[in-house]
Amino acid sequence: MSPATRPFHPRAWLRPLAVAAVLMLLAACGSAPHKPSSSQRRNPASAVPIAKNLGWSTKPADAPPADAANDVLFRAIGLVGTPYRWGGNTPQGGFDCSGLINYIYLTSTGLRLPRTSAEMAALDKPKVDETELSSGDLVFFGRGHITHVGVYVGKGRFVHAPNSGGTVRLDDLDGAYWKENFAYGRRVLN
């Protein structure tokens, strides 16, 4: 049967079309990467992208977003296992207790908190009893004066950077040490 007398099959064109699509995809995947523009290149000294000023504000947020407690919760849980380092305030360099809390709140809500646990405890925010804690509340510990801070994540648990040689971890407020030294909570997110 010659091509002119062969009956037309509607699916006959699908195979060549599928082959052409696969070849185009392979060609796209195999092409050389595009050279980044000068605004996309990285500064080797700081490993931070150099970008044009897009008019974004760098000042702290006036009020946290409505879903800030969830953002704080997920950020805090995501940092569990990060090494402790006195004075540390980044995942790469490690965290001390107040550095961890600052990082969590700044990166998840835009709120910039004071640097030390004692300064955080002195914030003009509502004090919260242990029985009234909500996810995202700060929890403070110490006898006589505040010496430690964490962030409450729910169900009687909090995330904190406990001590030298340790890592950021999730602990129970009912633990012997924490229960004995719990001072109060502060609701930073209203």
Side-chain angles (χ1 to χ4, degrees), residues 6 15 37 45-46 54 69-70 73 75 88 103 121 163 167 177:
R6 189 178 314 158
R15 175 174 258 159
S37 68
S46 66
L54 300 175
N70 282 338
L73 168 74
R75 180 65 53 136
Y103 181 84
N163 57 8
T167 61
Y177 178 83

Side-chain angles (χ1 to χ4, degrees), residues 14-51:
L14 285 177
R15 175 174 258 159
L17 185 61
V19 169
V22 167
L23 288 174
M24 288 187 334
L25 286 172
L26 289 173
C29 292
S31 64
H34 298 286
K35 185 175 180 181
S37 68
S38 61
S39 66
Q40 294 172 321
R41 290 191 194 118
R42 295 192 175 271
N43 179 347
S46 66
V48 174
I50 300 171

Side-chain angles (χ1 to χ4, degrees), residues 39-171:
S39 66
Q40 294 172 321
R41 290 191 194 118
R42 295 192 175 271
N43 179 347
S46 66
V48 174
I50 300 171
K52 296 176 185 173
N53 182 354
L54 300 175
W56 295 348
S57 173
T58 57
K59 74 175 187 139
D62 294 327
D67 58 351
N70 282 338
D71 293 342
V72 167
L73 168 74
F74 288 120
R75 180 65 53 136
I77 297 293
L79 293 168
V80 169
T82 305
Y84 176 92
R85 189 185 71 141
W86 187 82
N89 59 7
T90 66
Q92 299 80 12
F95 291 109
D96 66 7
C97 67
S98 57
L100 172 69
I101 302 307
N102 265 305
Y103 181 84
I104 289 169
Y105 275 82
L106 185 60
T107 59
S108 62
T109 69
L111 293 174
R112 189 178 308 275
L113 298 175
R115 177 59 180 112
T116 68
S117 57
E119 291 170 332
M120 288 180 198
L123 284 170
D124 186 23
K125 297 290 183 178
K127 274 190 180 180
V128 181
D129 188 303
E130 184 176 359
T131 60
E132 298 172 345
L133 290 170
S134 293
S135 292
D137 288 346
L138 299 181
V139 287
F140 295 98
F141 302 89
R143 289 186 168 195
H145 64 282
I146 299 300
T147 58
H148 191 65
V149 62
V151 62
Y152 187 73
V153 295
K155 296 188 178 185
R157 303 185 88 190
F158 69 105
V159 170
H160 64 124
N163 57 8
S164 185
T167 61
V168 172
R169 69 183 192 217
L170 187 62
D171 273 328

